[in-house]
Amino acid sequence: MPTTYTAPLRDLKFVIHEFLDLAPYSELPAFSEASPDIIDAILEEGGKLCEQVLHPINMSGDEEGCSWNNHEVTTPKGFREAYQTYVEGGWSGLTSDPEYGGQGLPHLVGLCMSEMISAANTSFGMYPGLSHGAWAAIHNHGSQEQKDKYLPKLTSGEWTGTMNLTEPHCGTDLGLIRTKAEPQDDGSYRISGTKIWISAGEHDMAENIIHLVLARIPGAPEGTKGISLFIVPKYMVNDDGSPGERNGVRCESIEKKMGIKASATCEMGFDKATGFLVGEENKGLRCMFTMMNAARLGTGIQALGVGSVAYQNAVAFAHERLQMRALNGPQYPDKPADPIMVHPDVRRMLMTCRAFVEGARALALYTGLQLDLEHMHPDQAVREKAGDWVALMTPIIKAYFTDMGSETANLAMQVFGGSGYIRETGVEQFVRDVRITQIYEGTNGVQALDLVGRKLPSKGGETLNAFIEPVKAFIDEHQGDSDMAEFVEPLSEAFDGLQQTIHWLFGKMMEDREEAGAASSDFLRLFALVAMGYVWARQAAIAHARLKDNSGEQGFYESKLATARFFMTRMLPDSAGLMQRIRAGAGPVMGLDAEAF
Amino acid sequence: MKLMVSVKRVVDYNVRIQVKPDGSGVVTDGVKMSMNPFDEIAMEEALRIKEAGNAEEIIAVTIGEQKAQEQLRTALAMGADRAIHVEVDEDIQPLTAARVLKALADKEQPGMVLLGKQAIDDDQGQTGQMLAALWDRPQATFASKVDLDGQKAKVTREVDAGLETIEVDLPAVVTTDLRLNEPRYVKLPDIMKAKKKPIDTTSLADLGVEAAPGLKVTNTAPPPERQGGKKVESVDELVSELKNRGLI
């Protein structure tokens, strides 16, 4: 039986219309068009596309994979047509600047669509996802001429884009880049070198591919300060915008890999390809970083999407699969056995998945809103606060969501038992597809270092306040509210623990940077749990209010409360163990000599 | 020529219907609602007729609660030019719907009224036929192909015996069947544009229509749960099984 996907419209609408309060922002440019009914219509039609066009080719795309022949890549059956439908529907320009043909809608709405696309078909989502990264780099750093030349067709999706960073000898450490960019008399550059693991580097879905390439100009400073960013189109672009001569870049091979098999992961060879400098010389990494932050959030959302679809399928299986009897006696005596849904351990797994998915959705969309505010709010102070929240949450969302997305997919497979381990049910594909999210766009270890080493001390601790202040205010507001005590008390306790740990960590870091490194991953998880606790407590407060004013849908709000309760009692308590681990320090981690391994 | 398409707000076809415990109806609280799929096909057909240059304007009509405007917005996003919302809070019976559409047809003078052959909520399948009678115009029901030829339409119908092709004079009522077409996916920019298209709101009283309280729902119940089947090896075994169960 193939997997199914149902767009989580009710929950998305809950988060957007009830959890986030968009009313104060209706005057902002992106939000003025995005009235609640428009957002709902977009989610519904977008969800339909994901359910009916993208999901049906998810398993077949995995089975068939991409194929390489003489430097050309063929995507699996149905992908070209699905991409065509996606482009014709205008989905490619959802959040893009209207000046270049986009719809200019809030990032928040873009994140909802990203979640649904990734859930329906993670591989497919790579192609538009990478295009958007390239779009953003040109939009933020390109010259007017470059914007006019490339953005309209990247916005429409007629062309796709890529990000070329990694080389065979350098992944995380981009200072080691060797790809060369030689200046030409006409102002262009000749790009030569090899890039690997380039998603969507070559495919058959669009008439042109715009590569964004990091390379070094001869004589540039060593390391990251000597790297520049270039546009290298697959086909040179004629003055009328049509694709012209073939440029000197080609796909040398594609990788065989564990998951996202319908996404072409390419080795790209640049042989004196014509490139055009984006921004200033030697400032390429900074240009790339704006893309990378968005890509890191996007990666967290991908994992959330996979977690969501894995959970849905595990629930369906748990209802259908009859096996053994409920521990306190048969619940369906007329059937040969009870559905496995009756078993507490199956429930434990499903509740863990659900509490992650719904909590993560709320945290992601709240962060999406801050991203919008950071970009467009007229008040400088609001922009800055919002930006601090985004900066802080980016590594947390990237690492925690992808770790948990992976765990959720694995738990879903566990619910399926042996039926999940075989190919036919499609659940093992979720496990394979989501695994890369823990690795790419900066491994989760790198995210943890980013949080501890860069974000915590940033602006003398001021960045951190973007999180501390609202959580503190929420706890104070609900002090003494007996309905909310079961949520606020555990949150308050974990929140105090987090603050003490931060204080302790700051002290330790001063003495020894390895202490920060040894604590980083556990610390990120601790921070993530408190952030999730915060959004769960807030969701619980809304559910309580709705149940009190009797506004209908009792079942929905009661489920919210039950899931919040599970998070507070069965997931948040992990924070105690994490704090204990962190305080054990670097000693036990580094205790063995390297030679002893 | 104008085309009028009626669309109904119904529980989405993917939703597993639950009956209210008191048997007064089905649960719609928090349930996903959509345009009746047969009406979506009617809407798609109207768009194709217009795109082929055989119509100038498409008017989408719905009869129902305030929220039914969501389905009109979908119709506008698909490509209808304007919409009419006849606001009614009660459930609408086929005869009332037919009277409303007749009143609107008199007002708008469409060359064709297209509607789904039935709505998937109550499966009545009567509105089109009743409208044709009230309006005193030809009807072509269960259409699986529609060809326009001047003031006539050639319509292939799905009937029990197979396919039947008839010719009707316009204006006419066409009710659409599943295989007529595959409705398009709504485009994002069209969702935005739909917001700016006009929806006129009116009421039964404004239209001078009297509701027809001819039908009363006395009870709603889920279908009895199906018993598992059994395979038999031979005719003899089949006969004895049937006898055992007192069926023959």
Side-chain angles (χ1 to χ4, degrees):
Chain A
M1 206 181 67
T3 54
T4 58
Y5 177 60
T6 308
L9 296 177
R10 182 64 191 94
D11 202 49
L12 285 169
K13 289 179 191 175
F14 168 77
V15 175
I16 294 177
H17 303 313
E18 301 176 61
F19 177 75
L20 305 177
D21 182 10
L22 300 185
Y25 312 118
S26 61
E27 298 296 312
L28 300 182
F31 287 90
S32 62
E33 293 280 308
S35 54
D37 54 335
I38 285 279
I39 292 181
D40 288 355
I42 291 171
L43 295 180
E44 272 168 34
E45 296 302 332
K48 200 161 149 187
L49 183 89
C50 292
E51 291 170 358
Q52 297 178 5
V53 177
L54 302 185
H55 194 61
I57 53 169
N58 187 44
M59 278 175 81
S60 57
D62 175 64
E63 200 64 47
E64 186 184 337
C66 291
S67 53
W68 181 96
N69 183 26
N70 197 22
H71 308 286
E72 288 185 358
V73 172
T74 308
T75 53
K77 193 164 165 278
F79 270 62
R80 279 174 64 107
E81 293 77 7
Y83 185 73
Q84 200 58 35
T85 307
Y86 176 85
V87 168
E88 281 170 6
W91 296 100
S92 180
L94 186 64
T95 58
S96 309
D97 188 347
E99 206 183 318
Y100 302 101
Q103 293 299 327
L105 286 159
H107 286 100
L108 174 64
V109 180
L111 292 185
C112 297
M113 194 62 194
S114 300
E115 184 205 314
M116 294 194 288
I117 292 175
S118 172
N121 194 324
T122 317
S123 285
F124 179 90
M126 296 296 288
Y127 296 91
L130 267 298
S131 291
H132 197 74
W135 184 95
I138 298 176
H139 188 258
N140 296 344
H141 304 287
S143 66
Q144 192 56 47
E145 191 205 338
Q146 288 170 339
K147 291 185 199 180
D148 292 340
K149 198 167 202 169
Y150 300 106
L151 291 185
K153 289 195 173 177
L154 281 172
T155 303
S156 70
E158 286 163 89
W159 298 349
T160 64
T162 69
M163 288 162 66
N164 286 246
L165 285 72
T166 308
E167 296 181 6
H169 62 285
C170 74
T172 301
D173 190 353
L174 291 170
L176 304 174
I177 277 177
R178 283 186 201 141
T179 296
K180 231 177 11 186
E182 292 166 300
Q184 304 298 301
D185 293 340
D186 63 357
S188 70
Y189 293 77
R190 286 256 166 95
I191 314 286
S192 300
T194 300
K195 294 283 179 181
I196 60 165
W197 303 344
I198 307 309
S199 298
E202 178 62 44
H203 58 79
D204 54 358
M205 304 200 299
E207 66 173 21
N208 204 357
I209 301 173
I210 310 304
H211 303 288
L212 281 154
V213 184
L214 287 183
R216 190 181 288 286
I217 298 169
E222 287 291 300
T224 53
K225 291 192 171 68
I227 291 171
S228 307
L229 181 64
F230 299 90
I231 295 173
V232 182
K234 175 179 167 184
Y235 290 101
M236 301 304 289
V237 178
N238 295 328
D239 288 340
D240 65 354
S242 63
E245 210 176 302
R246 186 75 165 80
N247 201 357
V249 48
R250 62 183 195 181
C251 174
E252 302 295 353
S253 66
I254 57 173
E255 303 291 343
K256 291 190 171 122
K257 57 193 192 298
M258 177 179 178
I260 54 168
K261 293 187 180 194
S263 163
T265 306
C266 304
E267 180 189 323
M268 303 303 295
F270 295 83
D271 182 15
K272 296 189 177 147
T274 304
F276 305 99
L277 182 69
V278 180
E280 289 172 49
E281 281 188 8
N282 303 331
K283 297 271 170 67
L285 217 52
R286 207 199 302 165
C287 300
M288 217 54 158
F289 257 109
T290 42
M291 278 157 83
M292 248 142 66
N293 274 328
R296 285 175 175 179
L297 271 181
T299 304
I301 304 291
Q302 275 188 310
L304 162 61
V306 182
S308 159
V309 68
Y311 164 70
Q312 284 183 11
N313 282 278
V315 167
F317 186 83
H319 277 306
E320 277 163 22
R321 175 74 168 170
L322 306 181
Q323 207 77 171
M324 318 249 292
R325 288 296 182 187
L327 297 171
N328 288 334
Q331 292 196 8
Y332 296 85
D334 54 326
K335 293 191 172 160
D338 285 336
I340 59 170
M341 188 56 109
V342 303
H343 300 297
D345 196 58
V346 171
R347 293 291 186 94
R348 171 190 63 82
M349 295 191 275
L350 293 177
M351 286 303 284
T352 305
C353 299
R354 184 183 179 118
F356 160 65
V357 168
E358 291 183 8
R361 187 174 287 139
L363 182 58
L365 296 184
Y366 183 78
T367 305
L369 173 61
Q370 304 309 310
L371 194 63
D372 285 313
L373 299 182
E374 180 191 2
H375 283 117
M376 65 181 79
H377 201 279
D379 184 344
Q380 160 74 18
V382 174
R383 281 205 304 272
E384 200 164 326
K385 262 285 171 267
D388 287 346
W389 174 282
V390 174
L392 202 55
M393 283 301 149
T394 297
I396 291 173
I397 287 179
K398 168 23 173 118
Y400 177 72
F401 282 23
T402 60
D403 283 348
M404 284 303 293
S406 214
E407 187 176 331
T408 299
N410 266 300
L411 285 173
M413 185 161 131
Q414 194 69 18
V415 170
F416 271 80
S419 304
Y421 192 71
I422 58 167
R423 272 308 251 282
E424 195 187 321
T425 50
V427 198
E428 56 87 46
Q429 186 191 342
F430 299 140
V431 176
R432 289 185 290 104
D433 280 355
V434 77
R435 188 61 182 81
I436 185 62
T437 62
Q438 293 169 282
I439 298 169
Y440 64 16
E441 298 306 338
T443 62
N444 287 358
V446 168
Q447 304 302 321
L449 282 179
D450 177 49
L451 176 66
V452 172
R454 219 177 275 148
K455 301 296 167 61
L456 281 194
S458 141
K459 298 197 219 167
E462 186 54 32
T463 302
L464 188 58
N465 280 336
F467 178 77
I468 301 291
E469 284 165 6
V471 178
K472 199 168 173 320
F474 177 84
I475 292 171
D476 289 347
E477 185 193 334
H478 290 276
Q479 224 39 276
D481 176 347
S482 58
D483 277 348
M484 283 296 292
E486 58 174 329
F487 307 107
V488 173
E489 277 169 21
L491 170 64
S492 176
E493 194 185 318
F495 179 59
D496 288 346
L498 172 68
Q499 285 176 289
Q500 284 160 19
T501 307
I502 291 170
H503 191 71
W504 178 87
L505 199 58
F506 271 139
K508 279 283 181 190
M509 274 159 71
M510 299 293 179
E511 300 162 20
D512 183 357
R513 292 173 71 97
E514 274 190 0
E515 287 288 349
S520 59
S521 280
D522 288 327
F523 178 77
L524 185 144
R525 173 63 69 107
L526 171 67
F527 207 137
L529 284 173
V530 178
M532 289 282 282
Y534 170 56
V535 293
W536 265 122
R538 278 184 50 188
Q539 295 190 85
I542 296 163
H544 260 308
R546 293 285 185 277
L547 287 169
K548 232 172 238 161
D549 64 25
N550 225 345
S551 51
E553 294 189 72
Q554 202 178 345
F556 178 82
Y557 296 109
E558 277 170 357
S559 301
K560 275 280 170 224
L561 283 182
T563 313
R565 227 163 256 143
F566 180 87
F567 184 85
M568 294 298 174
T569 52
R570 305 282 302 214
M571 291 171 82
L572 188 57
D574 284 353
S575 52
L578 288 164
M579 285 187 266
Q580 205 177 346
R581 245 158 51 187
I582 292 166
R583 296 216 183 202
V589 178
M590 303 300 286
L592 222 53
D593 278 342
E595 291 73 33
F597 283 93
Chain B
M1 170 168 88
K2 278 188 203 173
L3 302 173
M4 193 161 97
V5 182
S6 87
V7 300
K8 187 176 185 185
R9 175 183 174 86
V10 297
V11 173
D12 187 81
Y13 73 97
N14 275 316
V15 172
R16 237 170 62 194
I17 299 288
Q18 282 179 314
V19 174
K20 285 184 191 162
D22 67 359
S24 63
V26 301
V27 177
T28 53
D29 192 20
V31 166
K32 188 182 175 202
M33 306 295 282
S34 297
M35 187 192 293
N36 174 36
F38 290 108
D39 296 341
E40 219 180 325
I41 293 169
M43 190 60 221
E44 175 66 34
E45 195 62 21
L47 292 169
R48 292 184 188 190
I49 292 171
K50 188 184 167 191
E51 283 161 2
N54 291 323
E56 290 81 46
E57 191 184 31
I58 300 172
I59 308 158
V61 177
T62 197
I63 311 166
E65 56 176 327
Q66 165 69 27
K67 281 188 173 165
Q69 288 204 4
E70 288 171 17
Q71 280 59 51
L72 286 181
R73 290 282 171 212
T74 307
L76 292 168
M78 284 177 80
D81 298 288
R82 62 189 169 94
I84 301 171
H85 177 207
V86 184
E87 200 171 340
V88 182
D89 285 330
E90 304 81 52
D91 280 346
I92 282 293
Q93 296 180 8
L95 183 56
T96 313
R99 284 176 181 169
V100 167
L101 294 175
K102 156 74 165 68
L104 290 172
D106 286 343
K107 204 170 142 204
E108 298 287 350
Q109 299 289 318
M112 192 185 281
V113 178
L114 296 107
L115 60 168
K117 68 167 184 173
Q118 69 196 84
I120 61 166
D121 50 1
D122 54 16
D123 279 338
Q124 298 261 16
Q126 303 172 37
T127 305
Q129 295 87 331
M130 287 176 170
L131 169 63
L134 293 175
W135 195 24
D136 200 18
R137 294 303 312 168
Q139 57 178 298
T141 51
F142 317 136
S144 67
K145 195 166 190 289
V146 177
D147 286 318
L148 286 189
D149 180 15
Q151 280 310 297
K152 290 178 193 303
K154 205 189 263 182
V155 178
T156 303
R157 308 177 60 231
E158 296 197 7
V159 293
D160 289 347
L163 296 176
E164 173 188 270
T165 303
I166 61 169
E167 201 175 68
V168 290
D169 290 328
L170 299 180
V173 175
V174 174
T175 76
T176 52
D177 214 324
L178 201 61
R179 282 156 288 270
L180 177 57
N181 60 45
E182 215 174 293
R184 65 196 60 194
Y185 289 99
V186 171
K187 296 182 165 82
L188 175 65
D190 294 339
I191 296 174
M192 314 294 285
K193 280 183 214 147
K195 174 96 177 162
K196 298 186 178 83
K197 293 182 182 175
I199 297 182
D200 286 332
T201 304
T202 179
S203 65
L204 295 185
D206 287 349
L207 294 170
V209 168
E210 198 188 330
L215 302 170
K216 202 172 140 198
V217 176
T218 55
N219 188 35
T220 307
E225 205 167 320
R226 281 175 62 168
Q227 303 292 323
K230 185 183 175 188
K231 269 192 180 164
V232 290
E233 295 293 332
S234 64
V235 175
D236 288 345
E237 200 187 332
L238 174 64
V239 171
S240 72
E241 272 293 334
L242 291 173
K243 276 186 179 157
N244 286 345
R245 294 176 189 213
L247 294 170
I248 52 171

